[in-house]
Amino acid sequence: YLKCAGLAAVLYCCLQLSSGELGSVAPPHRRFEYKYSFKGPHLVHSDGSVPFWTHSGNAIPSADQVRITPSLKSQKGSLWTKSKSTFVNWEIEVTFRVTGRGRIGADGLAIWFTEGQGLEGDVFGASDSWNGVGIFFDSFDNDGKKNNPAIVVVGNNGKLIYDHQNDGATQALASCQRDFRNKPYPVRAKITYYQRTLTVLINNGFTPDREDYEYCGKVDNMVLPSQGYFGISAATGGLADDHDVLSFLTFQLTEPGKEAPLPDAEIPKEEKDKYQEEFEHFQQELDKKKEDFQKDHPEIQGQPDDIYESVNDRELRQVFEGQNRIHLEIKQLNRQLDMILDEQRRYVTAITNDISKKGTGDDGQQVRVSQQDLDALLHTQQEVVKQVHEMRNAIGDTLKLAGGMQHLGSTGGGYETAQHFTDIKEHLHIVKRDIEHLVQRNLPNEKQKCPEVQFPSCLSASHFLIFAVVQTVLFIGYIMYRSQQEAAAKKFF
């Protein structure tokens, strides 16, 4: 027993020591490399090119993304860095979408790190026999084993030919099955090459959480070129998908204990002086153009940029336009309630006159019954009039709130605007609740038999209630829809 206890104590100490050593490993230093990255907005220059990148084939760069291939048959496209990387350890984060109408898509998308640029070819839009590594997001099942969509890591020393018929299964260093097509959120891939170990993590696009990664594959003792090009490519075949890349972020990794590279260590002094000279020359030309513009247009005061609408002015104008639309809709509802109230009053007057004329010729019992029915009917109509007055008062308060929102300033107006929207919704909910309460109170009275009288054709009480409920529900839906639209529009400013 003592021997077993001693052995257990020794094992426990060893485990604690090993876990302490593992927990003490510091993560590498990450430095963002802008020359090997891109992301929106304002992703492209005015000539349609991506800074520090070159595209080929059917790739279409835009302000927010790069469409590597459109959803047309037999398309190929790629995007590659213009210069080689100068660091050994790296990490890339790629955000993309693969969308298509069919249940099955083709062919797929590939992320590259190679010694040379593979601008065009047959391997997912890039050249074959590459020297480096490719991470393939294969959509189409070529071998018929029903194991696609899949993510496959394939290394090459420049001598291998990619095995298309087997989807690279005979050459795969690591793989996992993940469906990356038609996801509600963009799919994210994090690929890390650190100390000769390649790790692939995937965010499947089911949640908006950017850090919700799951393990896909790992390759140990992998030797890659010390310098290479980063790239991304895609291709379509008989079936077609849209392959859109939203961002490609590259980070240089430095081992703990080593001095992190300086931000300007890679830029020679001559090149920095050249950039500074170009910037000063451009600034002088801009100042000269501004002076010439002011001479040619003396009627314009201040800077030429002042004639354009700023972001804050645009946001404030959109808020005011929304308030004006709400103001007009509430006024229209108020006019409709006035019309309904007038019709109800004419209806009560007509019933009262007809019953008073016809009731003189009946016997006492019939007169007594008709008088009870008349009293109940008049009481109901008075309740209707009272409820309509209360609704008018509530809508009047809402109208005042909407009118008061016009006086909001540009500073601190966001919270007050949201608060006023909340007040408007509460008042409209009160109107809806009052109408529903009025309908419930009038349900038992519908079973009573009203006196048979001849009166002019006009709006009945049931039609009035149905019309008021429908109008109120429609108006509340419109208010909620407009508030959601305004909230969504503010996200872009």
Side-chain angles (χ1 to χ4, degrees), residues 384-441:
V384 170
V385 173
K386 182 179 178 182
Q387 293 289 341
V388 170
H389 277 297
E390 292 179 356
M391 287 188 289
R392 287 188 60 188
N393 293 333
I395 292 177
D397 295 338
T398 305
L399 190 60
K400 292 178 181 179
L401 286 174
M405 293 171 69
Q406 303 294 334
H407 303 289
L408 292 176
S410 60
T411 59
Y415 174 76
E416 295 180 1
T417 302
Q419 185 65 30
H420 281 290
F421 270 117
T422 305
D423 294 339
I424 290 175
K425 290 180 181 180
E426 290 179 356
H427 280 286
L428 293 175
H429 282 303
I430 291 174
V431 173
K432 181 181 177 182
R433 186 170 62 251
D434 291 340
I435 293 177
E436 292 176 351
H437 178 65
L438 183 60
V439 172
Q440 292 177 359
R441 292 190 60 179

Side-chain angles (χ1 to χ4, degrees), residues 79 81 119 182 185-186 194 198 204 234-235 243 304 311 333 365 391 397 414 447 454:
L79 191 69
T81 57
L119 296 178
N182 298 324
Y185 298 96
Y194 182 64
L198 184 75
N204 54 22
H243 298 86
V311 175
L333 181 60
Q365 184 178 0
M391 287 188 289
D397 295 338
K447 299 180 180 179
Q454 298 294 330

Side-chain angles (χ1 to χ4, degrees), residues 11-194:
L11 291 175
Y12 178 77
C13 293
C14 293
L15 289 175
Q16 290 293 328
L17 181 60
S18 61
S19 62
E21 291 177 353
L22 292 175
S24 62
V25 176
H29 173 76
R30 298 171 82 241
R31 172 190 165 186
F32 178 67
E33 298 290 341
Y34 68 94
K35 288 187 177 181
Y36 308 95
S37 307
F38 66 84
K39 65 178 296 187
H42 312 298
L43 192 149
V44 297
H45 288 310
S46 58
D47 58 354
S49 62
V50 181
F52 307 108
W53 292 71
T54 179
H55 63 277
S56 63
N58 302 112
I60 307 173
S62 62
D64 298 323
Q65 64 184 20
V66 179
R67 176 155 290 180
I68 306 298
T69 57
S71 55
L72 300 174
K73 294 182 179 180
S74 303
Q75 301 288 298
K76 297 178 182 178
S78 64
L79 191 69
W80 293 84
T81 57
K82 292 182 179 180
S83 59
K84 285 187 175 182
S85 65
T86 57
F87 40 88
V88 178
N89 300 317
W90 45 264
E91 181 178 88
I92 57 177
E93 297 178 0
V94 185
T95 305
F96 62 91
R97 287 183 183 271
V98 179
T99 55
R101 296 183 179 180
R103 185 177 60 86
I104 302 174
D107 281 333
L109 179 141
I111 301 173
W112 302 92
F113 178 77
T114 59
E115 190 176 20
Q117 292 178 332
L119 296 178
E120 293 184 3
D122 297 329
V123 183
F124 298 97
S127 60
D128 205 340
S129 301
W130 68 93
N131 183 12
V133 64
I135 297 90
F136 303 149
F137 295 80
D138 195 348
S139 304
F140 189 73
D141 190 8
N142 289 293
D143 55 5
K145 295 182 179 180
K146 298 181 180 181
N147 56 355
N148 291 80
I151 303 172
V152 184
V153 180
V154 178
N156 199 337
N157 57 1
K159 300 179 181 179
L160 298 178
I161 303 298
Y162 181 66
D163 187 5
H164 287 276
Q165 298 300 324
N166 296 317
D167 291 328
T170 58
Q171 303 166 337
L173 302 178
S175 64
C176 64
Q177 282 188 257
R178 296 291 186 275
D179 187 6
F180 47 83
R181 297 181 67 250
N182 298 324
K183 296 304 177 184
Y185 298 96
V187 178
R188 300 176 185 275
K190 180 183 288 188
I191 304 167
T192 305
Y193 181 70
Y194 182 64

Side-chain angles (χ1 to χ4, degrees), residues 479-492:
I479 293 297
M480 296 178 66
Y481 170 75
R482 291 307 307 173
S483 63
Q484 292 177 358
Q485 291 293 323
E486 293 294 335
K490 290 181 181 179
K491 294 180 180 180
F492 296 96

Side-chain angles (χ1 to χ4, degrees), residues 344 346-355 369-385 442 445-446 448-453 455 459-462:
Q344 193 67 21
R346 287 197 295 270
Y347 173 71
V348 172
T349 303
I351 291 178
T352 304
N353 295 334
D354 291 340
I355 292 178
V369 174
S370 299
Q371 187 65 32
Q372 293 177 356
D373 295 338
L374 179 60
D375 292 339
L377 183 60
L378 290 176
H379 180 71
T380 302
Q381 300 305 324
Q382 291 175 358
E383 291 290 335
V384 170
V385 173
N442 289 332
N445 295 331
E446 293 178 0
Q448 298 178 0
K449 184 177 181 182
C450 296
E452 296 181 359
V453 295
F455 52 89
L459 183 66
S460 64
S462 60

Side-chain angles (χ1 to χ4, degrees), residues 174-243:
S175 64
C176 64
Q177 282 188 257
R178 296 291 186 275
D179 187 6
F180 47 83
R181 297 181 67 250
N182 298 324
K183 296 304 177 184
Y185 298 96
V187 178
R188 300 176 185 275
K190 180 183 288 188
I191 304 167
T192 305
Y193 181 70
Y194 182 64
Q195 295 179 346
R196 293 191 176 184
T197 299
L198 184 75
T199 307
V200 180
L201 304 177
I202 299 297
N203 184 328
N204 54 22
F206 282 113
T207 63
D209 186 6
R210 297 185 178 184
E211 300 300 327
D212 186 16
Y213 287 101
E214 57 185 22
Y215 177 81
C216 176
K218 183 178 181 181
V219 182
D220 295 322
N221 299 322
M222 188 172 193
V223 180
L224 294 179
S226 59
Q227 297 182 356
Y229 295 92
F230 292 99
I232 187 166
S233 64
T236 61
L239 302 176
D241 285 334
D242 286 323
H243 298 86

Side-chain angles (χ1 to χ4, degrees), residues 295-415:
K295 291 179 180 179
D296 297 337
H297 304 83
E299 68 278 3
I300 299 179
Q301 300 294 332
Q303 296 294 331
D305 296 337
D306 296 339
I307 64 177
Y308 298 103
E309 186 180 33
S310 64
V311 175
N312 294 332
D313 294 339
R314 187 187 309 115
E315 182 177 358
L316 189 61
R317 176 178 56 79
Q318 291 177 351
V319 171
F320 284 166
E321 289 177 356
Q323 306 309 321
N324 289 331
R325 287 194 294 269
I326 294 174
H327 187 83
L328 294 176
E329 291 293 336
I330 294 178
K331 280 188 174 181
Q332 181 66 21
L333 181 60
N334 195 14
R335 286 195 294 269
Q336 292 177 358
L337 287 176
D338 289 337
M339 294 173 60
I340 293 172
L341 185 58
D342 293 338
E343 291 289 339
Q344 193 67 21
R345 287 173 179 172
R346 287 197 295 270
Y347 173 71
V348 172
T349 303
I351 291 178
T352 304
N353 295 334
D354 291 340
I355 292 178
S356 61
K357 291 177 181 179
K358 189 175 180 180
T360 56
D362 297 336
D363 56 4
Q365 184 178 0
Q366 182 67 27
V367 172
R368 195 164 46 249
V369 174
S370 299
Q371 187 65 32
Q372 293 177 356
D373 295 338
L374 179 60
D375 292 339
L377 183 60
L378 290 176
H379 180 71
T380 302
Q381 300 305 324
Q382 291 175 358
E383 291 290 335
V384 170
V385 173
K386 182 179 178 182
Q387 293 289 341
V388 170
H389 277 297
E390 292 179 356
M391 287 188 289
R392 287 188 60 188
N393 293 333
I395 292 177
D397 295 338
T398 305
L399 190 60
K400 292 178 181 179
L401 286 174
M405 293 171 69
Q406 303 294 334
H407 303 289
L408 292 176
S410 60
T411 59
Y415 174 76

Side-chain angles (χ1 to χ4, degrees), residues 238-251:
L239 302 176
D241 285 334
D242 286 323
H243 298 86
D244 301 325
V245 181
L246 281 69
S247 66
F248 192 109
L249 306 180
T250 305
F251 300 89

